[in-house]
Amino acid sequence: MDIIKPRTLSGFMELLPAKQIRFEKMAEILRSTYASYGFAPLDTPAIEDAQILLAKGGGETEKQIYRFQKGDSDLALRFDLTVPLAKYVALHYNELAFPFRRFQISKVYRGERAQRGRFREFYQADIDIIGDGKLDILNEAEIPAIIYKVFRSFGLRRFQIRVNNRKILNGFYAMLGLTEKSGDIMRTVDKLDKIGAEKVKGILLEDCGLTEEQADEILTFIAIRGTNDQVLTALEGYAGRNERFDLGLKELKAVTENLAAFGVPEENFAVDLTIARGLDYYTGTVYETTLLDHPEIGSVCSGGRYDNLAGYYIEKELPGVGISIGLTRLFYVLDEQGLLNPALPSAPADALVLPMTENPGPAIALAEQLRSAGIRVQLYGEQKKFKQKMAYANKLEVPFAVLLGEDEIQEGVCSVKNMISGQQVKLAPAEAAAYIRAALEAEKGPLILET
Amino acid sequence: MDIIKPRTLSGFMELLPAKQIRFEKMAEILRSTYASYGFAPLDTPAIEDAQILLAKGGGETEKQIYRFQKGDSDLALRFDLTVPLAKYVALHYNELAFPFRRFQISKVYRGERAQRGRFREFYQADIDIIGDGKLDILNEAEIPAIIYKVFRSFGLRRFQIRVNNRKILNGFYAMLGLTEKSGDIMRTVDKLDKIGAEKVKGILLEDCGLTEEQADEILTFIAIRGTNDQVLTALEGYAGRNERFDLGLKELKAVTENLAAFGVPEENFAVDLTIARGLDYYTGTVYETTLLDHPEIGSVCSGGRYDNLAGYYIEKELPGVGISIGLTRLFYVLDEQGLLNPALPSAPADALVLPMTENPGPAIALAEQLRSAGIRVQLYGEQKKFKQKMAYANKLEVPFAVLLGEDEIQEGVCSVKNMISGQQVKLAPAEAAAYIRAALEAEKGPLILET
């Protein structure tokens, strides 16, 4: 037979079992946390009508999208989970209860140039809350509370959710008479961390055509730092000059105040006036999340408030607020940096049951008994030498091997071998289950390490 | 703004929240059951190199596949999970421990003609055990034991796993000198349930060109019925005439004997000589699973033993055994037939917390407290009239509303309203959590009903 050399396309993540098990744990934490806040799971098709996906159009999207014909149909793979959400909400508007809260953890597709750490197929883990006409500000405080819960559940403490409000920025630029240029200015200001205040000022003066005074005002504004209270107090100094600004400040205060009630500590949350988010459609609160010891990773969870989710599909005002975690990239970066806790068990089974007699019946029954006690058990039925069986257990990195020979069967016990310590004890099946469970319980730890 | 009418492509399942929640429960049962037997989760890309996916070729596959260019790449969407598994095992051969056990629950794509109940994007839920060179027969007994566990976990009792062995069939046809014609004969015999013995015989004589004697021998053979013991005893009568047949019989006996040890009751398992499975690559045990009260659904879980998983990609003998559940179709059919237990809660939240005061702080804290107790809680922050809030709770079908007004805050309690009975009680937060949990626990039932 002719052999075709197997390969996986570049830009497509395909993990070995031990890593996939860690990835699944992250996904499971996201699912259960999102569900605990009353978000409904959603699963839209990966393929949509290309005209519908591209209703908004836009340069990069059109270039990167996977688009193809099948019969007469013009099809495309989704490039994010927001456009399919907009389509879903518009299509099922009459059947949904608003506010409509959904989470979706699904793959999206972007045919970007292949590059280390960039993926063409990747998971996004999104939550959104969609209102019908109106949506209370309380939702904008709940979102960072959920981000907090997610990252704490990953095992992290050293992260910061940075929050701003687009109304404050837009109102501020309106005060300076710079509404028209606000897009360019925000893109420039966004580079502050990277290029420094001086270079930002240079660009504002030369490329954006601002006056010296305007540039200084902006630099003073984005230099506002301190505790959340200090930043809010400084912002009070600008109040009363622009309605939009005042509304934004009121919203930011409401978000900040409610976060304490949600149990988010001050150290995990910062009002940061440099955050703007690139996308045009954010209109209120915006979020970015950074790992404090790994600023080089950039934002690991971003989002914000928007006023018009589905205007391309339905004549209804559908405001919303949401966030997105680029799960595949986050996992890749954490793994690269060695931050995935290596002490956490990553074997597909907790115990490998090894029948040492010709009749596998007793070993089968033992394996079933251990499973009933909640242990993941693999039965090893291959006719191999003992040494090879142990080598297999080691390669799987299974924490326990459970041996069942004639002696054990006679005595009504099994031999439980801890594969790390090498310690071996004879226990009755129910005791063996309790022993293994206790050991697994003790080995639980954070999914992600802080270094 | 111009409105583009939203739609979801035909042949693509997109569920409303209440149904999606039921679907997720089915998927979760599959994940946890597969994991409990030591299968590792696998997640291969949906897009592969078209040349690799189509290594085997074949008419229907080529026609149905979604294939497209991106830049210079000839790409295609996977049409099953077996070919990607073969690629994965060949590619990562040196990094895997054999037997390699994996489960994958993922979407696959087939551009079939649109038809009610047929899907172009659908989930398959597969498990496979791959050996390196050899694979013990014990694995062929374990597979139906896992099928049994899955369907029992769905809440079903009235199902039957039908098992046969291709070596028995091939050996039997060899005895009659009909090896060359065995493919045609098996396809004909497969129609027995639908068209009856007389028509089968007619086709065997006229289309397959068999003698009267050969046709009668075949009809006698496939008419063997009874308990598993009776069928096996009848098969003994053919022993000693063909080596392959004898080996198949030995395997079938081993599978049957071990199933009792796995805890599979005789009524859920039947040796059935009419089962052959269409695919050419099955070489040993084959499985089909039917719901006894719904034979019209056909097989809901099929699979078998094969000798050569990845011959197109690697010069290694990699035998395996596996099964596949067409999850999307199964869910669709169960739903159509009204078999998804309607009494099972399907709301995105267990409780809706309604702040009845201007300051949402106490309600936020209460919601967090209930969540810590494992309850899925949605906080409702919209400024609406009480009646509208209740209408929302009803539309969501949330089982409990938790009201928190000035009175309750003063008394350190909350008002818990059972949305079905209308009963309302004042409870301290910890009591409220226990009360809601107890009620949810009592409402647990089978996912699928038997009617």
Side-chain angles (χ1 to χ4, degrees):
Chain A
M1 202 186 289
D2 274 358
I3 299 287
I4 296 180
K5 203 180 160 215
R7 70 183 188 99
T8 297
L9 295 165
S10 80
F12 288 71
M13 183 181 269
E14 186 172 79
L15 301 168
L16 286 168
K19 285 202 180 157
Q20 187 65 46
I21 284 168
R22 285 162 203 275
F23 186 92
E24 298 296 328
K25 281 187 185 152
M26 279 187 82
E28 178 49 34
I29 285 172
L30 287 163
R31 269 198 298 271
S32 62
T33 306
Y34 291 165
S36 77
Y37 282 83
F39 288 79
L42 180 60
D43 184 7
T44 61
I47 307 178
E48 301 266 8
D49 180 307
Q51 308 284 344
I52 288 175
L53 270 196
L54 293 168
K56 195 183 179 179
E60 276 306 293
T61 306
E62 295 245 20
K63 250 183 281 171
Q64 294 182 351
I65 201 166
Y66 287 92
R67 187 174 182 171
F68 50 92
Q69 297 283 127
K70 180 82 184 169
D72 297 333
S73 304
D74 181 12
L75 306 173
L77 299 181
R78 63 181 167 218
F79 54 88
D80 71 5
L81 301 178
T82 304
V83 176
L85 171 66
K87 180 218 73 175
Y88 180 89
V89 172
L91 183 59
H92 303 290
Y93 174 80
N94 288 313
E95 297 150 294
L96 298 174
F98 292 92
F100 171 59
R101 299 156 74 92
R102 82 87 177 80
F103 74 87
Q104 183 163 9
I105 303 172
S106 294
K107 286 176 171 177
V108 303
Y109 297 85
R110 294 186 195 170
E112 294 195 74
R113 258 189 48 191
Q115 212 177 321
R116 197 174 157 71
R118 300 294 268 179
F119 294 93
R120 291 170 171 170
E121 173 186 74
F122 57 97
Y123 278 94
Q124 287 192 331
D126 284 19
I127 49 174
D128 285 271
I129 307 172
I130 313 299
D132 185 9
K134 276 188 181 174
L135 188 68
D136 197 84
I137 184 72
L138 187 58
N139 298 288
E140 286 166 61
E142 193 181 31
I143 291 284
I146 300 168
I147 302 177
Y148 171 76
K149 194 72 79 71
V150 162
F151 284 87
R152 287 289 287 120
S153 302
F154 285 162
L156 296 171
R157 287 180 181 276
R158 301 264 312 137
F159 63 91
Q160 193 173 54
I161 305 162
R162 299 154 81 195
V163 178
N164 195 6
N165 191 300
R166 287 291 295 258
K167 293 188 182 80
I168 291 180
L169 298 182
N170 291 332
F172 171 71
Y173 294 120
M175 285 179 210
L176 302 183
L178 291 171
T179 296
E180 308 262 298
K181 291 179 176 168
S182 63
D184 287 342
I185 297 171
M186 282 191 246
R187 268 185 290 278
T188 308
V189 165
D190 199 39
K191 295 175 190 153
L192 185 69
D193 278 354
K194 277 187 201 151
I195 63 175
E198 209 149 320
K199 285 196 179 153
V200 164
K201 188 174 172 180
I203 298 173
L204 290 178
L205 293 175
E206 285 154 41
D207 298 358
C208 304
L210 269 54
T211 67
E212 187 81 22
E213 204 191 335
Q214 287 170 327
D216 284 340
E217 278 263 33
I218 290 167
L219 286 170
T220 306
F221 184 80
I222 60 175
I224 297 172
R225 295 285 152 91
T227 64
N228 294 334
D229 272 350
Q230 287 168 337
V231 175
L232 291 171
T233 305
L235 288 174
E236 288 289 354
Y238 293 85
R241 289 163 61 188
N242 178 284
E243 217 173 288
R244 183 151 291 265
F245 182 95
D246 294 351
L247 180 57
L249 183 53
K250 196 179 145 203
E251 290 180 0
L252 190 57
K253 277 178 165 173
V255 168
T256 309
E257 276 163 24
N258 285 325
L259 271 169
F262 274 110
V264 180
E266 173 98 16
E267 70 254 35
N268 292 112
F269 172 70
V271 175
D272 183 334
L273 300 176
T274 64
I275 304 293
R277 302 300 309 148
L279 288 162
D280 287 338
Y281 71 88
Y282 291 121
T283 54
T285 311
V286 285
Y287 317 98
E288 287 191 358
T289 311
T290 47
L291 305 183
L292 290 172
D293 301 320
H294 295 278
E296 75 284 3
I297 296 178
S299 176
V300 292
C301 175
S302 312
R305 155 88 188 205
Y306 42 89
D307 281 343
N308 185 359
L309 173 73
Y312 294 97
Y313 308 124
I314 190 170
E315 285 184 40
K316 295 275 176 191
E317 210 179 301
L318 299 172
V321 58
I323 47 161
S324 182
I325 297 178
L327 185 56
T328 300
R329 181 164 178 274
L330 177 59
F331 182 84
Y332 173 84
V333 172
L334 291 170
D335 184 31
E336 281 285 290
Q337 307 244 4
L339 298 178
L340 297 173
N341 185 354
L344 222 58
S346 61
D350 304 317
L352 186 70
V353 168
L354 300 169
M356 314 293 280
T357 53
E358 203 171 323
N359 172 15
I364 294 172
L366 173 65
E368 283 297 323
Q369 208 173 339
L370 296 176
R371 276 181 205 116
S372 313
I375 296 166
R376 298 174 306 149
V377 178
Q378 177 181 344
L379 182 66
Y380 185 87
E382 308 311 301
Q383 309 296 323
K384 298 266 183 179
K385 293 197 180 114
F386 183 72
K387 221 176 145 183
Q388 289 172 300
K389 290 180 180 179
M390 281 297 147
Y392 179 73
N394 277 321
K395 192 163 183 186
L396 271 190
E397 295 188 8
V398 66
F400 292 95
V402 181
L403 287 61
L404 196 64
E406 286 300 350
D407 287 358
E408 283 91 354
I409 295 170
Q410 291 292 331
E411 295 171 44
V413 298
C414 56
S415 291
V416 180
K417 186 184 168 84
N418 183 316
M419 293 301 290
I420 293 160
S421 69
Q423 199 195 14
Q424 189 168 320
V425 286
K426 280 190 177 182
L427 296 169
E431 291 166 6
Y435 175 80
I436 294 170
R437 284 185 67 152
L440 294 173
E441 209 54 47
E443 272 190 45
K444 274 189 182 160
L447 196 58
I448 304 173
L449 291 176
E450 308 210 290
T451 48
Chain B
M1 201 185 290
D2 275 357
I3 299 287
I4 295 181
K5 202 179 161 214
R7 70 183 188 98
T8 297
L9 295 165
S10 80
F12 288 71
M13 182 181 269
E14 186 172 80
L15 300 169
L16 286 168
K19 284 200 181 158
Q20 187 67 46
I21 285 167
R22 285 162 203 277
F23 186 92
E24 297 298 327
K25 281 187 184 152
M26 278 187 82
E28 177 51 33
I29 285 172
L30 286 163
R31 269 199 297 272
S32 62
T33 306
Y34 291 165
S36 76
Y37 282 83
F39 288 79
L42 180 60
D43 185 7
T44 61
I47 307 179
E48 301 267 7
D49 182 306
Q51 308 284 345
I52 288 175
L53 269 196
L54 293 168
K56 194 182 180 179
E60 276 306 291
T61 307
E62 294 246 19
K63 251 183 281 172
Q64 295 183 349
I65 200 165
Y66 287 91
R67 186 172 183 172
F68 49 93
Q69 297 283 127
K70 180 83 184 166
D72 298 332
S73 304
D74 181 11
L75 306 173
L77 300 181
R78 63 180 166 217
F79 54 88
D80 72 5
L81 301 178
T82 304
V83 175
L85 170 66
K87 180 218 72 177
Y88 181 88
V89 172
L91 183 59
H92 303 290
Y93 174 79
N94 288 313
E95 296 150 294
L96 298 174
F98 291 93
F100 170 59
R101 298 155 75 92
R102 82 88 177 81
F103 75 87
Q104 183 163 8
I105 303 172
S106 294
K107 287 175 170 177
V108 303
Y109 297 85
R110 294 184 195 171
E112 295 196 73
R113 257 189 50 190
Q115 211 178 322
R116 198 174 156 69
R118 299 293 269 182
F119 294 93
R120 289 169 171 169
E121 174 187 74
F122 57 96
Y123 279 94
Q124 287 191 332
D126 284 19
I127 49 174
D128 286 270
I129 307 171
I130 314 298
D132 186 8
K134 275 187 182 176
L135 189 66
D136 196 85
I137 184 71
L138 187 59
N139 298 288
E140 287 167 59
E142 193 182 31
I143 291 285
I146 300 168
I147 302 177
Y148 171 75
K149 194 71 80 72
V150 163
F151 284 87
R152 287 289 288 120
S153 302
F154 284 163
L156 296 171
R157 286 180 182 275
R158 303 263 311 136
F159 63 91
Q160 193 173 53
I161 305 162
R162 298 153 82 195
V163 178
N164 195 6
N165 191 300
R166 288 290 294 260
K167 292 190 184 79
I168 290 181
L169 297 182
N170 292 332
F172 172 70
Y173 294 121
M175 285 180 210
L176 302 183
L178 292 170
T179 296
E180 306 264 298
K181 291 179 175 168
S182 64
D184 288 341
I185 296 171
M186 282 191 246
R187 266 185 291 278
T188 307
V189 165
D190 200 39
K191 295 174 189 154
L192 185 68
D193 279 353
K194 277 186 202 151
I195 63 175
E198 209 150 319
K199 285 195 179 153
V200 164
K201 188 174 173 181
I203 299 174
L204 290 178
L205 294 175
E206 286 154 41
D207 298 358
C208 305
L210 267 57
T211 66
E212 185 82 23
E213 203 193 336
Q214 286 170 328
D216 283 339
E217 277 263 34
I218 290 168
L219 285 171
T220 305
F221 183 81
I222 61 175
I224 296 173
R225 294 286 151 87
T227 64
N228 294 334
D229 272 351
Q230 286 168 339
V231 175
L232 291 171
T233 305
L235 288 174
E236 288 290 353
Y238 294 85
R241 290 162 60 188
N242 178 285
E243 216 172 288
R244 183 151 289 266
F245 181 95
D246 294 352
L247 180 57
L249 182 54
K250 196 180 145 202
E251 290 180 0
L252 190 58
K253 276 178 165 173
V255 169
T256 310
E257 275 163 25
N258 285 326
L259 271 168
F262 272 111
V264 180
E266 171 99 17
E267 69 255 35
N268 292 112
F269 171 70
V271 174
D272 183 333
L273 300 177
T274 65
I275 306 291
R277 302 300 310 147
L279 288 162
D280 288 338
Y281 71 88
Y282 291 121
T283 53
T285 311
V286 285
Y287 316 98
E288 287 192 359
T289 311
T290 48
L291 305 183
L292 290 173
D293 301 320
H294 296 277
E296 75 282 3
I297 297 177
S299 177
V300 292
C301 177
S302 311
R305 155 88 189 206
Y306 43 87
D307 281 343
N308 184 0
L309 174 73
Y312 294 97
Y313 308 124
I314 191 170
E315 284 183 41
K316 294 275 177 191
E317 210 181 303
L318 299 172
V321 58
I323 48 161
S324 181
I325 296 178
L327 185 56
T328 299
R329 180 162 179 277
L330 177 60
F331 182 84
Y332 173 84
V333 172
L334 292 170
D335 185 30
E336 281 284 292
Q337 308 244 5
L339 299 178
L340 297 172
N341 185 355
L344 222 58
S346 61
D350 304 317
L352 186 71
V353 168
L354 299 169
M356 314 292 281
T357 54
E358 204 170 323
N359 172 15
I364 294 171
L366 173 64
E368 282 297 324
Q369 209 173 338
L370 296 177
R371 275 181 206 116
S372 313
I375 296 167
R376 297 174 306 149
V377 178
Q378 177 182 344
L379 182 65
Y380 185 87
E382 307 313 301
Q383 309 296 321
K384 298 266 184 180
K385 293 197 179 115
F386 183 71
K387 219 175 145 184
Q388 290 171 301
K389 290 180 181 179
M390 281 299 148
Y392 179 73
N394 277 322
K395 193 164 182 187
L396 270 190
E397 296 188 5
V398 66
F400 292 96
V402 181
L403 286 60
L404 197 65
E406 288 299 351
D407 288 358
E408 282 90 354
I409 295 170
Q410 292 292 331
E411 295 170 46
V413 297
C414 56
S415 291
V416 181
K417 185 185 169 83
N418 182 315
M419 293 300 291
I420 293 161
S421 70
Q423 199 194 15
Q424 190 168 318
V425 286
K426 282 190 176 180
L427 295 168
E431 290 165 5
Y435 176 79
I436 294 170
R437 284 185 67 151
L440 294 172
E441 207 56 45
E443 272 189 44
K444 273 188 183 161
L447 196 57
I448 304 173
L449 292 176
E450 309 211 289
T451 49

